[in-house]
Structure formats: structure tokens, C-alpha cells
Amino acid sequence: PYAGVKDILKNLSEKQGKKMNSPESAKDIPKFLELFAGQINMDETKDPIESFKTFNEFFIRQLKPSARPIAHIDDGSIATCAADCRLMAYSSVDESTRFWIKGRKFSIEGLLGADAHYNAFKNGSLVIFRLAPQDYHRFHVPVSGTVEKFVEIPGCLYTVNPIAVNSKYCNVFTENKRVISIISTPEFGKVRLLSLFCCIL
């Protein structure tokens, strides 16, 4: 049964991804804006709505440079918010600690994987930037520093809707594709910026 459920979720995500990359998907943009009326400011968007040829082009739309000015841009001791998001911050992390994200528990070790040197991170802090469908879907590096390494963790693109997130057959947060940027900073030490990829159904 595990393999069967995972196959269904995987097929759903792949089918939705192809649909939203098709020219026909552009007709869904006005309906999406209507659904999230008052939550998406198109005046901030760099390109006009007519320029988006697919829904996915619209979904990863760029903003005008003036839309998100960086606070304290010259002060490297201040980390900025990486995205338009719901933000959760935890002062400490260790190997036994588990957190709830969208109703599911996950371990930091499972999330980062062996190649991201989990042991060097376990005494650090954790900040989660969780995006919702109506949000600007790009993110930015929150600290000043030098990128030492990118770690790509292959995986699926399971949807983050409640069916997948609450399923006992898969764990979105440790089975989905992730990319980790390991950044060396003078103020914060080693920072790991993890991007979790998923499909929205």
C-alpha cells in the first residue's frame, strides 16, 4: 500500500506541474487573483499580467526592485527575512528536537541529510520561512557571506496539501527534493539555507 499511495501522490504532482506549464493554464491566472483578492498586489509585479504565458510563469513572478527594500542593508549583523512568508523562529536545535510544520513532525537530521554536515548545525538556531500560494514565490539569501557549497538532495515533488502532508505513507519534508546552500558568515558562522521543493494542488 505504501508504494501505491506514493505513486498516486507523485503522479498527481507531475500531472499538475505539466498542466501549469501549458499555455492553457494562463486562463487560470485571473481566477487565482480573484480567489486571493486583496492578498496579491499586482502593482508590485515587475511585468504586466498579460506577459505571463503560463500559470507557472505568473506564480514565480518577479517584483519591482522597490517593492521589497532591504532593511539595514549595510549591517551584516542583522539577518533579513528571506521571503514573503509565515515565519517561525527557534532559538536552539539539537538532534533529539522535533518540530511541527503543517501538522507533521520532522527531524533536522532527516531534513538536511548527511552531506550537509548535520552535526555542525545541531547546536544552532532554526528559522522557517513558509510560503502560501498567494505569496511572492521567490526567496532571497538572508545573510551576507560566502557560499561554500550547494548540496542537492534528490526527491519527489509531493504536494503540500493536507492529503500528502498528513499521509502516513510519505514524509514531504524528508522525501521531497531539497537544495541546501552552505554559507560562511563572519557574524553567524555557518548558515544553511534549505529550499524545499513541492507542488501546490
Side-chain angles (χ1 to χ4, degrees):
Y2 286 87
V5 172
K6 286 188 175 184
D7 285 342
I8 291 171
L9 291 171
K10 181 180 178 182
N11 289 337
L12 279 172
S13 295
E14 290 178 351
K15 183 178 179 180
Q16 185 73 355
K18 290 177 182 177
K19 176 184 175 183
M20 292 306 169
N21 271 331
S22 69
E24 292 78 16
S25 67
K27 70 178 185 300
D28 293 325
I29 297 173
K31 291 184 285 186
F32 186 85
L33 289 171
E34 183 179 349
L35 178 64
F36 293 105
Q39 300 180 60
I40 299 175
N41 184 359
M42 288 303 294
D43 290 337
E44 295 180 333
T45 303
K46 179 181 177 182
D47 301 306
I49 190 171
E50 299 80 15
S51 68
F52 301 116
K53 305 304 180 186
T54 69
F55 183 86
N56 275 346
E57 282 188 10
F58 160 76
F59 197 69
I60 60 168
R61 60 194 176 276
Q62 295 185 62
L63 299 185
K64 296 174 182 175
S66 59
R68 297 292 183 274
I70 300 174
H72 307 287
I73 192 169
D74 296 321
D75 189 347
S77 67
I78 297 176
T80 59
C81 188
D84 286 0
C85 62
R86 289 102 200 104
L87 187 148
M88 294 172 282
Y90 300 86
S91 60
S92 63
V93 176
D94 60 42
E95 190 170 1
S96 64
T97 303
R98 294 183 180 274
F99 301 100
W100 286 99
I101 297 183
K102 289 191 176 181
R104 283 296 300 270
K105 287 183 176 179
F106 74 97
S107 70
I108 298 300
E109 185 175 15
L111 188 70
L112 291 177
D115 289 339
H117 307 293
Y118 162 75
N119 286 332
F121 177 76
K122 65 180 181 180
N123 294 320
S125 301
L126 174 70
V127 181
I128 299 168
F129 308 96
R130 184 175 67 82
L131 279 64
Q134 67 270 27
D135 291 329
Y136 159 64
H137 261 70
R138 291 176 182 247
F139 59 90
H140 303 268
V141 178
V143 295
S144 298
T146 302
V147 176
E148 292 187 353
K149 184 180 181 182
F150 292 105
V151 178
E152 183 171 343
I153 303 175
C156 297
L157 294 175
Y158 292 132
T159 173
V160 288
N161 75 15
I163 295 174
V165 171
N166 295 318
S167 171
K168 64 181 180 181
Y169 299 111
C170 67
N171 190 327
V172 169
F173 306 106
T174 57
E175 295 184 44
N176 271 28
K177 178 180 178 180
R178 282 108 64 210
V179 174
I180 302 168
S181 306
I182 300 178
I183 307 166
S184 179
T185 75
E187 291 84 6
F188 302 101
K190 294 290 178 67
V191 173
R192 285 149 180 79
L193 179 64
L194 182 144
S195 308
L196 176 71
F197 295 81
C198 58
C199 177
I200 296 178
L201 295 177

